[in-house]
């Protein structure tokens, strides 16, 4: 079992002030795979003090200096990518191919893109040619960065890299459920040789370190990715100090499949939901299908779900692994059972373990049909490999059903009619709309509407989250 009980504070690995051991569980076999310590108020205060002391110097570094550090970090990340994939596979059960080609690759992609955006970013500019006003973008200060377990290095890179790029200092609290990748990233920071106190890492849970970070007067900004419930608590706790709070929260995306969609639209939609074992906040877990192709879609969806293999993370292949924890497993299984009780039709999967597995948090790819949008499985964020199929008759009805949710992160639509695609996309209430399986390009903003959050991560927008804007008159 890996011993990961130290924290990274002020440029070195230190013992916790008040040790509080916590076992990290391998979701494939339910056995402990690492041991960490949950940070105390004293540990968190030490990290905040370190970041505050470092800020005055770090914020004055040039863009060229920060680019040099980030390019060195990218080089180290590439060199240690295999270690990162192994860490992610171990802590969250991601199959090695997925952990390597998607999870770990996302961290590299964000690093590369932020380096490009930083090179072109202007921190100082005149308001216009005739004006004597000057606009300045300045680092916001000490940032508390709280990241989730489902896309660990993806979210770490989306927060840490722009904070470093803009001259902020920070305290990272990775998820205590999947902290190994975050600690490996801290080793990379240390290997590069960033100045002491610029980057700090304290493990802990939301009630402990998370609460202390979000309420501390010396923390100028909180960036949080996780559940909407936790986002509300963080916002309330941060309100007393009026700090900036950037939230990327839950989702219950709709995937509208029109009758004129491309041939594999339904099958691709199933693969999209089931990837990462259904543990993606922007997964389109409600598939809305036009009634004229509804029966065909049900058949294709069930066939595709049954083709998806579920197996150990250590094996190569395009199978899915377990969900991350016993808590998540129990929640998902209970929601599957509730869907059956509510009267939805189980077309594939179900609450039983896959036939070849008798241990671990494995769940079959599950498809419900004859679902109405008022059922629990259609309203709640399940965060597992579960999809609800809902029929619709008109374009207006599809839009109404899709928007009838408290969330607004990612929605999807499939049609070969470009005018209809553009028309519907404008009416969908979400931060992202994906048409015909096209992915978002690197550097585009990611974030949600309504209870899916209020921040934007990635590209120039990701840099701006960590900057204050200042107007100075009489510059000329």
């Amino acid at each position: 079992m890996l011993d990961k009980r130290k924290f990274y504070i002020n440029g070195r690995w230190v013992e916790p002030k008040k040790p509080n051991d916590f076992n990290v569980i391998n979701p494939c076999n339910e056995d402990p795979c690492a041991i960490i310590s949950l940070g105390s108020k004293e540990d968190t205060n030490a990290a905040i003090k370190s970041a505050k002391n470092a800020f005055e110097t770090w914020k004055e570094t040039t863009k060229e200096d920060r680019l040099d550090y980030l390019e060195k970090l990218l080089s180290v990340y590439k060199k240690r990518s295999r270690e990162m994939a192994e860490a992610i596979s171990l802590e969250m059960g991601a199959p090695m191919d997925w952990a390597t080609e998607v999870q770990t690759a996302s961290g590299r992609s964000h690093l590369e893109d932020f380096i490009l955006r930083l090179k072109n970013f202007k921190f100082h500019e005149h308001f216009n040619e005739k004006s004597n006003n000057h606009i300045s973008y300045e680092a916001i200060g000490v940032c508390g960065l709280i990241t989730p377990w489902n896309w660990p290095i993806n979210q770490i890179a989306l927060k840490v890299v722009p904070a470093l790029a803009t001259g902020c200092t920070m305290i990272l609290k990775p998820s205590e459920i999947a902290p190994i990748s975050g600690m490996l990233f801290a080793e990379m920071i240390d290997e590069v040789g960033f100045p002491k106190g610029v980057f700090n890492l304290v493990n802990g849970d939301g009630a402990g370190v998370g609460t202390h970070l979000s309420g501390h007067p010396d923390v100028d900004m909180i960036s949080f990715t996780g559940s909407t419930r936790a986002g509300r608590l963080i916002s309330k706790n941060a309100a007393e100090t009026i700090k900036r709070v950037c939230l990327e929260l839950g989702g219950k995306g709709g995937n509208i499949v029109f009758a004129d969609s491309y041939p594999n639209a339904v099958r691709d939609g199933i693969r999209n939901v089931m990837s990462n074992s259904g543990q993606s906040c922007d997964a389109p877990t409600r598939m809305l299908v036009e009634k004229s192709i509804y029966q065909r879609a049900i058949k294709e969806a069930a066939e595709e779900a049954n083709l998806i293999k579920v197996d150990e993370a250590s094996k190569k292949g395009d199978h899915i692994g377990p969900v991350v924890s016993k808590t998540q497993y129990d929640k998902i299984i209970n929601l599957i059972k509730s869907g059956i009780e509510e009267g939805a039709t189980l077309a594939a999967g179900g609450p039983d373990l896959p036939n070849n597995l008798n241990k671990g948090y494995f769940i079959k790819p599950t498809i419900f049909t004859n679902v109405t949008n008022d059922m629990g499985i259609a309203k709640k964020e399940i965060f597992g490999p579960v999809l609800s199929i809902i029929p619709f008759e008109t374009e207006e009805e599809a839009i109404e059903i899709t928007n009838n949710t408290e969330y607004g992160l990612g929605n999807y639509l499939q049609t070969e009619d470009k005018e209809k695609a553009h028309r519907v996309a404008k009416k969908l209430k979400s931060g992202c709309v994906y048409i015909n399986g096209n992915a978002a390009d690197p550097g585009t903003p990611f974030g949600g509407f309504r209870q899916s959050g209020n921040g934007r991560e990635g590209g120039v927008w990701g840099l701006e989250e960590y900057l204050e804007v200042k107007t100075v008159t009489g510059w000329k």
Side-chain angles (χ1 to χ4, degrees), residues 41 56 231 253 258 260 289 309:
K41 183 179 289 188
E56 293 304 317
F258 288 101
D260 61 357
V289 179
K309 295 178 181 178

Side-chain angles (χ1 to χ4, degrees), residues 76-93:
V76 172
Y77 189 90
K78 290 177 180 177
K79 180 182 70 176
R80 303 187 69 175
S81 287
R82 178 70 183 182
E83 292 176 71
M84 183 59 72
E86 289 171 349
I88 292 171
S89 182
L90 177 66
E91 67 189 1
M92 65 163 295

Side-chain angles (χ1 to χ4, degrees), residues 315-391:
K315 294 182 180 179
K316 293 188 68 64
D318 63 353
H319 59 283
I320 64 172
V323 296
V324 76
S325 68
K326 180 70 160 57
T327 299
Q328 289 298 118
Y329 176 85
D330 288 344
K331 171 194 167 188
I332 296 163
I333 294 300
N334 286 336
L335 281 165
I336 291 173
K337 290 178 179 178
S338 76
I340 296 170
E341 291 168 2
E342 285 181 295
T345 302
L346 189 64
D352 298 328
L353 276 171
N355 292 334
N356 58 323
L357 301 161
N358 55 21
K359 196 175 184 181
Y361 309 127
F362 296 95
I363 297 177
K364 296 176 183 177
T366 297
I367 306 291
F368 280 107
T369 62
N370 298 317
V371 177
T372 57
N373 209 44
D374 59 349
M375 291 182 178
I377 54 172
K379 294 169 66 176
K380 297 177 181 178
E381 185 182 35
I382 299 175
F383 226 62
V386 182
L387 172 75
S388 297
I389 303 183
I390 303 170

Side-chain angles (χ1 to χ4, degrees), residues 58-59 61-71 73 110-111 113-119 121 123 137-140 157-170 189 194 198 459-460 462-464 466-467:
W58 180 247
K59 73 175 183 179
T61 56
T62 65
K63 181 171 79 170
E64 289 69 29
D65 286 341
R66 296 195 296 275
L67 277 167
D68 184 57
Y69 278 113
L70 291 178
E71 284 168 346
L73 180 59
H110 294 316
L111 256 167
D113 189 74
F114 278 125
I115 288 170
L116 174 64
R117 306 298 162 184
L118 180 58
K119 286 178 179 177
F121 193 86
F123 286 87
Y137 296 86
E138 300 179 2
I140 196 168
L158 278 171
K159 298 182 192 299
V160 171
V161 179
L164 292 170
T166 52
C168 295
T169 58
M170 68 217 68
I189 293 278
F194 279 84
V198 169
V460 173
L463 295 175
E464 291 176 346
Y466 295 86
L467 293 167

Side-chain angles (χ1 to χ4, degrees), residues 70 107 110-111 114 143-148 151-174 185 199 221-226 234 245-249 446 454-458 462-463 465-466:
L70 291 178
H110 294 316
L111 256 167
F114 278 125
C143 302
L145 311 177
I146 303 174
T147 55
W151 285 90
I153 197 60
N154 181 77
Q155 292 306 129
I156 288 171
L158 278 171
K159 298 182 192 299
V160 171
V161 179
L164 292 170
T166 52
C168 295
T169 58
M170 68 217 68
I171 304 94
L172 171 66
K173 189 204 85 65
F185 189 79
F199 172 91
M221 173 186 175
I222 290 289
S223 180
F224 170 77
T225 299
I234 285 170
V245 179
C246 174
L247 301 174
E248 196 274 281
L249 307 176
F446 182 82
N454 56 15
R456 290 296 181 272
E457 295 185 314
L463 295 175
E465 289 283 5
Y466 295 86

Side-chain angles (χ1 to χ4, degrees), residues 257-322:
V257 182
F258 288 101
D260 61 357
S261 62
Y262 67 97
N264 284 329
V266 171
R267 294 183 183 275
D268 288 350
I270 300 304
R271 291 279 174 177
N272 190 358
V273 170
M274 303 307 169
S275 65
N276 209 41
S277 299
Q279 300 170 126
S280 296
C281 48
D282 64 342
T285 52
R286 294 176 299 153
M287 180 178 284
L288 284 68
V289 179
E290 195 163 352
K291 275 192 176 179
S292 62
I293 61 166
Y294 186 65
Q295 293 305 320
R296 189 197 84 197
I298 290 173
K299 181 175 180 293
E300 289 179 358
E303 286 177 354
E304 198 64 28
N306 288 328
L307 287 173
I308 298 172
K309 295 178 181 178
V310 184
D311 214 330
E312 299 280 351
S314 59
K315 294 182 180 179
K316 293 188 68 64
D318 63 353
H319 59 283
I320 64 172

Side-chain angles (χ1 to χ4, degrees), residues 182-208:
M183 299 189 79
L184 177 60
F185 189 79
E187 290 181 16
M188 296 179 188
I189 293 278
D190 187 61
E191 186 175 339
V192 169
F194 279 84
K196 292 180 179 179
V198 169
F199 172 91
N200 305 272
L201 180 148
V202 179
N203 281 314
D205 57 19

